[in-house]
Amino acid sequence: MSREEDMPLGLGFGLAMNEQAMNSFSSMTDPEKRQVIEAARSVQSKAEMESLIQDIAKMS
């Protein structure tokens, strides 16, 4: 896996803690996953990451 595809730790942990978000992320296309990973890299706080995880969960 290249650096561009490495999942930020907070995103991985958040997905692991939210089954619905994990299912939504798993069903995404590779370009969609890369977009989410890039969004996660710009997160500046725990609250922002939690919001991103909630948004992912709502996608299913």
Side-chain angles (χ1 to χ4, degrees):
M1 184 178 277
S2 70
R3 169 69 184 123
E4 294 78 34
E5 296 171 340
D6 289 346
M7 184 179 295
L9 188 59
L11 177 61
F13 183 73
L15 291 175
M17 300 300 292
N18 186 318
E19 185 176 356
Q20 189 173 357
M22 177 64 87
N23 291 337
S24 293
F25 185 81
S26 296
S27 68
M28 290 178 181
T29 64
D30 285 343
E32 290 171 330
K33 288 177 183 177
R34 280 193 292 273
Q35 187 175 14
V36 169
I37 289 168
E38 285 305 311
R41 285 195 181 115
S42 68
V43 165
Q44 298 294 314
S45 69
K46 181 179 178 181
E48 284 181 35
M49 184 61 77
E50 289 171 351
S51 178
L52 177 61
I53 297 298
Q54 290 301 315
D55 289 345
I56 295 167
K58 292 175 188 173
M59 291 179 178
S60 62

